Amino acid sequence: MWIKAIFAREFGFSDVQSNYSRVYAWMANQLGHMTLGMATAFFFVWIADTIGATARLIVDWEGRPRQAANGCEFAFACVANNILLFVAAFVIIGAICAICIKGAFDAPPPISADVAARYRAIAPRARQAMHGVFFVLAALTLGYLLSRALGMSAPEDRERLVELIGVTTAVFAIGAGVLMLCHDIRYFTFALLAVFGAFWIATNGAGAVESVRRWIAVALALLFFVYAMRSLVIGADIPEKLGGLEKLMQGAVVAIIALWFVSGTWHGLEGDWPMAIAAAIASCALWWVKEFASDLPNVHHEIADAARKRPKNVLGACKRVERDYIDDARMDARTDGMFYFAGAWIGAGVLSDTPVMTTASWPSGSEVMGLLVFLAIFLGLGKTWAFRQQALDFAGLDKASRLAVFHAALRIVVIPAEQPLETGRAAPAPELPYLPEPLDRLRDFARATEDPGFDHLIVFGALGSGRTPLGRALASEAALADLPTLGDRITLGAATAEKARRTGRYIVARKLVHFMRDISGRTDVVATPTVDLLIEKASGDVVRRDGEFDPATHELVPAANLVVIDDFETEQGLTPRALAANLALAAGQQTAWLIADGRFDPTNGCSDQTDIDAWTPDYRTVEDELAAIRAALTVDGLVPRLGVGFTRRFSSPARR
């Protein structure tokens, strides 16, 4: 229902088959996250069983292989399984060692001060030390446990120690994954406590008395609850766009899971339940670290790398575009993290006792709990991310370039509506100041949050000067300007058009020239429409909207709010007036023109900050093109304000 609603609400039509591809891809992506959460729980138990069985063979080497062979119908199969068991154990332990040794000897990239300020980064030397300590600790622990098992004579004591070897190895395997992925010391600390909690639960308190086991398990459960609530709901860095209803929904999910866990640990963990709940905790710890302590720091690094490359005296701090990018990444991390949660708890239910309907209560209800979490997050947050993927697809973008990672030199000057643009005039044009913080100003232009000071943007630059990344980023910012609210997400009825959305299109100039041909073939309808189109429901004919229409007989395909036109070249005979005829300017569209001009040669790019400071392109060198474009964009005598930009590569080796 919400798949149809989102298309009708955002794009004016609800049932075009090509629109489902992005949604199906998103659904498969989230099902993949749930499956990874569940599979990691299985993987934890498989490692424990594999290593435990291998240790059992080593401890009782004289009798086990012979008993296994005599007890099998095919002796060869038993021998092959024993060999395979040793190979699997060798691969598991070898992988743990390889991760630790590689981390101890590989020099990680240096962390700059601007990145370290965004999160509690682990220093390179500290990471190397942690890998080394982890490797030594794992080797000593497993060696000690195995030596004790070899020296024991009582079968029951030896069996408990062998199982302890398996669980310990599984914990070290998850710990190695956490160590490899984690780049934030805060999440690393919580992850270590979570891994210890998995060990504590799986071993029933490692032999501690019942009261101690219970209280430590409950304390760990409360710690996990606080950790998840801070990451999802109450953290200081939660984006402001996260509404109260959404916080309530995510907080309720975390609280229910925490209460479920506290209840299970307090009333006792019997049968397979300790290993199952430990596997779920380990899975959540690993994938939570991946989302919040690996992916998010990588986004920070990406932003900081772009900030180092771009000239600060030209582009400024760019705070708002960076914040938009971080907000988007955090929303993605929270959504994916909840799907990992759901999968881990489904896995715990599968690994624990089978539900029996005839008893007063089910021995395990984790499958139901995990499925409820999955459905709640899928229906509550799914519409947002379906919109996100579909908006980018509809904008004509195969990937989202963001203004926060744009790093070519850019200067923008605003020509007001009263500024004359006439070639051959005697009086010189007055000097116009270049805009400070141009990327944040372009963010306002793309998202329509504030008046940037101009109605249309014209950018000049030669091949390789950064025009295309800028245009793609503008279209992305417009497409992602306003994701649906939670109220929109849970409204599954018929969509209405009362809430206008900000949309963007990225299109090359060649496609605009063939506008009428695109209409006749309907390719513009499902690809990148730049004008309001009407589809006659009876015949399927497509016409350009001209005035009012009857919704009973025609279906509206709305135009984009912002159309970015790339690769416009005046020398090919594509005049601005001819191209502007393809745009529904009367409907309030804004345009960005990216003009290829060889006069701005990137091979003569600025080599240091002094050159950048002295780089002040004169807009009067392109006044012929600007006069023609402004004439074409003038509708009903309303002269537009033009933002004129120039792009240039900054080629300093020190800033690469």
Side-chain angles (χ1 to χ4, degrees):
M1 288 186 290
W2 58 254
I3 291 174
K4 291 186 65 176
I6 189 173
F7 296 138
R9 183 185 299 270
E10 314 302 342
F11 308 115
F13 54 102
S14 61
D15 196 23
V16 177
Q17 185 62 34
S18 64
N19 287 331
Y20 286 86
S21 59
R22 284 282 186 173
V23 179
Y24 287 153
W26 178 86
M27 293 168 68
N29 186 38
Q30 304 311 335
L31 286 171
H33 291 144
M34 186 195 74
T35 304
L36 281 173
M38 181 170 55
T40 304
F42 297 159
F43 189 61
F44 181 90
V45 176
W46 175 79
I47 291 176
D49 287 347
T50 299
I51 298 298
T54 305
R56 191 176 293 111
L57 280 176
I58 295 174
V59 170
D60 194 11
W61 183 253
E62 292 296 326
R64 286 285 180 175
R66 189 182 310 110
Q67 292 175 7
N70 294 335
C72 282
E73 185 177 355
F74 301 102
F76 173 77
C78 294
V79 175
N81 280 336
N82 289 334
I83 295 174
L84 183 62
L85 191 65
F86 277 101
V87 171
F90 176 79
V91 170
I92 292 170
I93 296 177
I96 297 174
C97 295
I99 291 173
C100 296
I101 294 174
K102 186 176 185 298
F105 289 97
D106 282 358
I111 298 177
S112 59
D114 50 358
V115 175
R118 304 298 182 95
Y119 63 97
R120 304 295 188 272
I122 303 175
R125 294 297 181 188
R127 286 186 60 83
Q128 292 178 340
M130 287 190 298
H131 277 83
V133 170
F134 184 86
F135 174 73
V136 173
L137 181 62
L140 291 176
T141 301
L142 293 177
Y144 169 74
L145 291 175
L146 184 58
S147 65
R148 283 196 59 192
L150 287 171
M152 284 186 174
S153 57
E156 60 275 9
D157 294 337
R158 190 168 54 204
E159 184 65 24
R160 282 196 297 269
L161 196 56
V162 163
E163 291 178 355
L164 182 61
I165 292 174
V167 172
T168 303
T169 307
V171 167
F172 275 124
I174 297 297
V178 169
L179 192 60
M180 178 182 65
L181 291 173
C182 193
H183 298 284
D184 190 325
I185 192 63
R186 297 168 302 176
Y187 290 102
F188 182 73
T189 303
F190 277 115
L192 285 183
L193 291 172
V195 171
F196 170 75
F199 173 80
W200 185 263
I201 297 298
T203 59
N204 261 319
V209 297
E210 182 179 358
S211 59
V212 174
R213 176 189 62 78
R214 281 184 172 182
W215 283 111
I216 291 181
V218 170
L220 289 170
L222 294 176
L223 179 67
F224 303 153
F225 169 73
V226 173
Y227 164 52
M229 288 292 286
R230 185 199 175 281
S231 299
L232 286 170
V233 184
I234 61 176
D237 51 357
I238 296 294
E240 294 181 359
K241 71 177 74 172
L242 189 65
L245 188 57
E246 187 170 354
K247 286 186 178 182
L248 178 63
M249 183 188 71
Q250 296 191 65
V253 170
V254 175
I256 290 173
I257 292 177
L259 291 174
W260 191 275
F261 180 72
V262 170
S263 175
T265 55
W266 183 260
H267 292 292
L269 302 173
E270 307 297 335
D272 294 329
W273 182 249
M275 182 63 78
I277 198 71
I281 294 172
S283 176
C284 290
L286 179 66
W287 294 112
W288 215 250
V289 163
K290 183 263 181 186
E291 291 294 332
F292 285 90
S294 178
D295 289 357
L296 284 183
N298 287 337
V299 172
H300 286 299
H301 275 283
E302 191 178 54
I303 292 175
D305 185 57
R308 284 193 300 270
K309 290 179 179 178
R310 60 179 175 242
K312 292 181 171 52
N313 286 5
V314 176
L315 296 184
C318 313
K319 295 297 185 183
R320 283 187 289 176
V321 297
E322 292 179 357
R323 183 65 185 179
D324 286 338
Y325 193 11
I326 291 297
D327 287 355
D328 201 12
R330 285 193 60 85
M331 289 180 69
D332 183 58
R334 281 196 305 275
T335 304
D336 293 348
M338 293 304 288
F339 281 113
Y340 288 127
F341 248 152
W345 282 91
I346 293 174
V350 174
L351 290 168
S352 62
D353 292 334
T354 304
V356 180
M357 294 290 290
T358 56
T359 59
S361 61
W362 288 2
S364 168
S366 289
E367 297 99 325
V368 176
M369 177 61 63
L371 288 173
L372 289 176
V373 171
F374 176 82
L375 289 175
I377 302 302
F378 190 86
L379 293 177
L381 299 177
K383 192 173 179 182
T384 293
W385 294 103
F387 167 81
R388 183 181 184 274
Q389 296 294 333
Q390 180 62 19
L392 293 176
D393 190 41
F394 205 73
L397 302 167
D398 55 351
K399 58 184 179 180
S401 301
R402 305 299 295 269
L403 285 170
V405 294
F406 177 78
H407 57 263
L410 172 70
R411 291 217 159 180
I412 297 178
V413 63
V414 174
I415 302 177
E418 62 273 8
Q419 173 73 28
L421 271 175
E422 298 178 2
T423 59
R425 63 180 178 271
E431 293 295 331
L432 298 176
Y434 282 96
L435 296 180
E437 307 287 347
L439 290 189
D440 280 345
R441 192 72 65 99
L442 290 181
R443 180 247 189 210
D444 295 334
F445 172 69
R447 292 175 166 259
T449 52
E450 299 179 20
D451 182 12
F454 52 90
D455 304 308
H456 303 276
L457 177 68
I458 298 92
V459 178
F460 294 87
L463 179 65
S465 64
R467 288 179 299 105
T468 296
L470 178 64
R472 295 175 67 89
L474 286 172
S476 296
E477 297 295 342
L480 302 176
D482 39 11
L483 297 178
T485 64
L486 184 59
D488 294 329
R489 296 178 198 129
I490 61 178
T491 302
L492 303 180
T496 60
E498 66 221 14
K499 189 174 182 181
R501 294 291 182 193
R502 186 68 176 169
T503 56
R505 303 286 186 271
Y506 173 81
I507 189 169
V508 296
R510 295 186 302 275
K511 294 183 179 180
L512 282 176
V513 177
H514 304 294
F515 168 74
M516 294 308 298
R517 187 183 68 185
D518 290 342
I519 287 183
S520 62
R522 296 192 62 172
T523 58
D524 200 59
V525 177
V526 295
T528 53
T530 56
V531 297
D532 286 347
L533 300 176
L534 294 178
I535 304 176
E536 189 175 3
K537 296 180 179 179
S539 63
D541 292 339
V542 183
V543 296
R544 182 170 174 168
R545 179 184 179 183
D546 186 14
E548 298 298 325
F549 68 97
D550 186 358
T553 59
H554 288 80
E555 188 175 13
L556 172 66
V557 182
N561 304 122
L562 174 66
V563 179
V564 179
I565 307 155
D566 197 4
D567 289 340
F568 170 64
E569 300 179 12
T570 54
E571 58 266 25
Q572 292 185 358
L574 309 180
T575 65
R577 188 180 299 277
L579 292 178
N582 291 296
L583 303 173
L585 299 175
Q589 281 180 313
Q590 292 178 302
T591 57
W593 303 72
L594 310 180
I595 302 176
D597 197 315
R599 286 173 291 183
F600 304 96
D601 189 353
T603 60
N604 296 324
C606 304
S607 59
D608 55 33
Q609 191 65 46
T610 303
D611 290 341
I612 281 290
D613 294 339
W615 181 54
T616 54
D618 189 353
Y619 73 94
R620 288 169 293 187
T621 61
V622 291
E623 61 183 357
D624 291 342
E625 291 86 347
L626 293 178
I629 290 176
R630 188 157 77 171
L633 297 178
T634 300
V635 179
D636 298 330
L638 298 177
V639 180
R641 302 168 299 171
L642 297 183
V644 183
F646 301 88
T647 56
R648 198 171 191 179
R649 281 296 179 190
F650 184 51
S651 55
S652 172
R655 286 182 173 264
R656 284 179 182 171

